[in-house]
């Protein structure tokens, strides 16, 4: 079975996404350089805006393609592909690395070094002051929620510490045999998608699981609508994307995406979610198109 | 087995969360006296959003009122401001609220979402107008 991705320009070769911890110093520099190139051209802020525009919550009676929805995974796969293609136009040797947050779990990890993501924010205004994405080094936030034009982080939330998700937390999601279940939103009681996305109705720090918990752990911009301003967004989502691939490998007989057909008129999710063969705004790409990245990229694991 | 170990772990985490909430509930009554900060986002999902509010929280003026009719981008059923600047608030299917500042917490009421946004804004940061 061969699934192809809708692309205007098919990539001539399969490129490899690697764990960020395995990048050489030169590779780290090239990745950062390509991100800075996109920032300078204005393209980076288009990605920030696009992510904000597609954040629709499931209490709204509107179509939601990106979050709290079965297409959380294929939507972000396409979003990352667009970003990676843009990066590779700047530097054809670059791919999006992934951050395995079950292993690199502290602000002391090399991920947060001055030559990659830079460190946490300072006390008070949470401004990032080290690394290439510090305001003082030229990274200016233009599409923010606040009037500050600097990137913010609050790694690990020291005022009320919480841990990154663990391997067991990931297993709690990947053990699910079904991709997603009704009501296909943040209250879906089972299913791989919602358990990986990480919505619960719990209280206390147990409410955040997996993907959501990582956004909470990084804090600052990553917590809000303008999370894409923090380039760690891409490394986080590359790992989420890899976990989707692993889930497929673990459950080869499961339906790879649900729902198969759109909810009918009169059903609560009518016109609010995207079914397997429907386009995901803003693209014409369908979840079906995104079921496999074979022939496009692979993960070095 | 990885998975069988996961279940009791999650249950334990939930128990700790519930116990923590009970403590916060008791301590929260003294917030005004002690001036200490407790996470305000422990609400009751399913509440209709509560009454309009206008208060000072950690030195910020937070105001909110229900609106009629929802805009595609903006306050869905509620108009909430922090120091007069609009805070985008969205509703989740379980009845809780999210804000543009904190997309991943779930707050029982718009008031709790506004307080949570203040907690996350950091000192000296004002809202900048992006809603949703």
């Amino acid at each position: 079975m061969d699934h192809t991705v809708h692309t205007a320009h098919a990539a001539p070769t399969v490129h490899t996404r690697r764990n960020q911890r395995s990048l050489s110093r030169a590779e780290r520099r090239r990745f950062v350089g390509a991100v800075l190139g996109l920032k300078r051209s204005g393209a980076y802020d288009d990605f920030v805006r696009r992510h904000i525009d597609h954040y629709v919550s499931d209490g709204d009676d509107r179509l939601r393609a990106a979050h709290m929805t079965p297409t959380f995974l294929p939507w972000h796969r396409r979003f990352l592909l667009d970003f990676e293609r843009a990066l590779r136009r700047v530097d054809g040797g670059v791919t999006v690395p992934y951050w395995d947050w079950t292993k690199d779990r502290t602000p002391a990890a090399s991920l947060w070094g001055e030559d990659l993501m830079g460190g946490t924010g300072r006390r008070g205004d949470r401004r990032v002051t080290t690394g290439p994405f510090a305001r003082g080094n030229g990274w200016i936030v233009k599409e923010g929620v606040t009037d500050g034009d600097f990137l913010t982080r609050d790694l690990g939330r020291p005022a009320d510490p919480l841990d990154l998700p663990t391997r067991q937390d990931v297993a709690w999601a990947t053990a699910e045999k079904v991709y997603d279940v009704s009501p296909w939103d943040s209250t879906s009681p089972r299913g791989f998608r919602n358990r990986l996305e990480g919505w619960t109705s719990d209280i206390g720090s147990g409410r955040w699981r997996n993907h959501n918990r990582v956004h909470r752990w990084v804090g600052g911009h990553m917590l809000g609508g303008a999370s894409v301003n923090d380039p760690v967004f891409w490394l986080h989502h590359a790992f989420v994307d890899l976990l989707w691939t692993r889930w497929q490998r673990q459950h080869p007989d499961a339906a790879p995406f649900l729902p198969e057909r759109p909810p009918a008129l009169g059903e609560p999710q009518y016109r609010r979610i995207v079914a397997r063969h429907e386009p995901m705004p803003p693209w014409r790409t369908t979840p079906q198109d995104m079921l496999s990245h074979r022939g496009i990229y692979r993960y070095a694991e | 087995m990885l998975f069988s170990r996961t279940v009791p772990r999650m249950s334990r985490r939930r128990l700790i969360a519930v116990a923590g909430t009970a403590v916060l509930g008791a301590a929260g009554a003294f917030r005004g006296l002690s001036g200490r900060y407790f996470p305000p986002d422990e609400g009751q999902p399913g509440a209709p959003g509560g009454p309009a509010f206008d208060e000072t929280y950690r030195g910020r003026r937070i105001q909110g009122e229900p609106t009629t009719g929802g805009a595609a981008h903006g306050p869905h059923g509620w108009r909430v401001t922090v120091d007069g600047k609009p805070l985008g608030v969205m509703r989740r299917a379980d009845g809780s609220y999210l804000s543009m500042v904190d997309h991943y917490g779930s707050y029982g009421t718009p008031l709790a979402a506004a307080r949570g946004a203040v907690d996350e804004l950091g000192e000296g940061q004002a809202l900048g107008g992006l809603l949703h």
Side-chain angles (χ1 to χ4, degrees):
Chain A
M1 190 159 49
D2 187 45
H3 305 294
T4 52
V5 175
H6 268 296
T7 61
H9 316 280
T13 55
V14 176
H15 60 265
T16 300
R17 293 184 181 170
R18 294 168 52 199
N19 189 321
Q20 55 79 26
R21 60 154 66 170
S22 74
L23 299 184
S24 69
R25 191 168 299 188
E27 288 165 335
R28 289 155 78 96
R29 190 163 52 235
R30 282 180 72 173
F31 173 72
V32 167
V35 173
L36 295 177
L38 287 185
K39 184 72 173 176
R40 276 192 298 275
S41 75
Y44 194 94
D45 291 310
D46 294 340
F47 285 102
V48 179
R49 187 75 237 176
R50 174 166 280 190
H51 193 258
I52 292 170
D53 287 346
H54 288 85
Y55 203 110
V56 175
S57 187
D58 55 6
D60 278 355
D61 191 10
R62 292 196 286 144
L63 178 68
R64 41 176 214 285
H67 303 92
M68 308 182 187
T69 192
T71 41
F72 166 69
L73 292 165
W75 193 93
H76 283 86
R77 175 166 287 175
R78 174 62 209 252
F79 191 53
L80 256 73
L81 266 175
D82 283 5
F83 177 71
E84 192 167 55
R85 285 181 187 132
L87 278 182
R88 289 166 64 77
R89 282 193 288 272
V90 177
D91 181 342
V94 167
T95 61
V96 177
Y98 65 89
W99 167 29
D100 180 346
W101 26 256
T102 69
K103 296 197 175 118
D104 290 303
R105 305 180 54 76
T106 76
S110 61
L111 169 67
W112 307 106
E114 294 212 16
D115 63 342
L116 196 53
M117 290 293 114
T120 191
R122 67 188 182 190
R123 285 169 65 105
D125 64 6
R126 296 177 184 154
R127 180 198 294 238
V128 169
T129 59
T130 57
F133 309 114
R135 176 68 182 83
N137 293 330
W139 185 260
I140 301 173
V141 170
K142 292 178 178 159
E143 301 282 350
V145 178
T146 68
D147 63 353
D149 65 356
F150 49 87
L151 180 64
T152 57
R153 286 183 190 138
D154 190 27
L155 300 186
R157 197 174 62 175
D160 182 12
L162 83 167
D163 289 330
L164 284 163
T166 61
R167 251 170 32 138
Q168 287 77 16
D169 294 326
V170 168
W172 171 74
T174 54
E176 284 291 290
K177 292 183 171 63
V178 61
Y179 176 78
D180 204 350
V181 300
S182 175
W184 318 108
D185 62 14
S186 73
T187 68
S188 292
R190 295 192 66 81
F192 169 65
R193 187 275 311 168
N194 199 35
R195 287 193 171 190
L196 181 61
E197 190 174 1
W199 296 105
T200 69
S201 291
D202 285 3
I203 49 177
S205 75
R207 86 186 66 168
W208 303 283
R209 307 280 170 82
N210 291 319
H211 155 267
N212 284 1
R213 193 174 182 87
V214 176
H215 278 274
R216 171 67 269 185
W217 187 89
V218 176
H221 274 95
M222 273 288 273
L223 188 63
S227 55
V228 177
N229 278 302
D230 192 333
V232 84
F233 173 92
W234 306 104
L235 282 69
H236 170 35
H237 271 276
F239 186 56
V240 170
D241 189 72
L242 168 57
L243 292 176
W244 184 22
T245 298
R246 285 183 185 166
W247 178 83
Q248 288 180 322
R249 212 185 292 152
Q250 265 178 262
H251 303 278
D253 299 326
F257 184 87
L258 292 170
E260 183 72 22
R261 297 187 196 295
L265 175 66
E267 292 181 37
Q269 294 296 321
Y270 174 65
R271 290 191 172 166
R272 293 170 71 187
I273 59 171
V274 178
R276 182 169 174 176
H277 300 285
E278 295 184 301
M280 298 184 291
W283 309 284
R284 288 188 302 169
T285 305
T286 66
Q288 173 67 34
D289 296 329
M290 288 289 121
L291 291 184
S292 170
H293 50 75
R294 200 182 334 153
I296 311 280
Y297 62 90
R298 60 179 286 274
Y299 285 100
E301 295 180 59
Chain B
M1 268 301 283
L2 208 51
F3 186 59
S4 61
R5 279 177 50 209
T6 305
V7 175
R9 188 172 172 282
M10 286 296 173
S11 306
R12 201 161 60 238
R13 185 189 272 175
R14 194 176 300 219
L15 278 176
I16 292 166
V18 169
T21 307
V23 172
L24 285 174
F30 298 101
R31 179 163 52 200
L33 292 175
S34 69
R36 284 186 60 198
Y37 151 61
F38 297 98
D41 47 354
E42 314 291 357
Q44 293 298 314
F53 58 89
D54 182 349
E55 67 170 45
T56 300
Y57 176 74
R58 302 179 86 190
R60 309 276 193 133
R61 186 167 187 193
I62 53 177
Q63 297 164 284
E65 58 183 3
T67 59
T68 51
H73 290 260
H76 302 278
W78 275 77
R79 180 182 298 114
V80 177
T81 58
V82 177
D83 292 335
K85 303 274 181 60
L87 171 69
V89 171
M90 295 190 288
R91 194 112 199 247
R92 256 185 73 196
D94 68 358
S96 63
Y97 293 83
L98 309 174
S99 81
M100 189 64 177
V101 172
D102 183 354
H103 266 179
Y104 299 97
S106 296
Y107 299 91
T109 62
L111 171 60
R115 287 176 175 167
V118 167
D119 294 336
E120 296 302 333
L121 272 174
E123 289 166 22
Q125 291 241 63
L127 291 172
L130 275 185
L131 292 170
H132 280 112

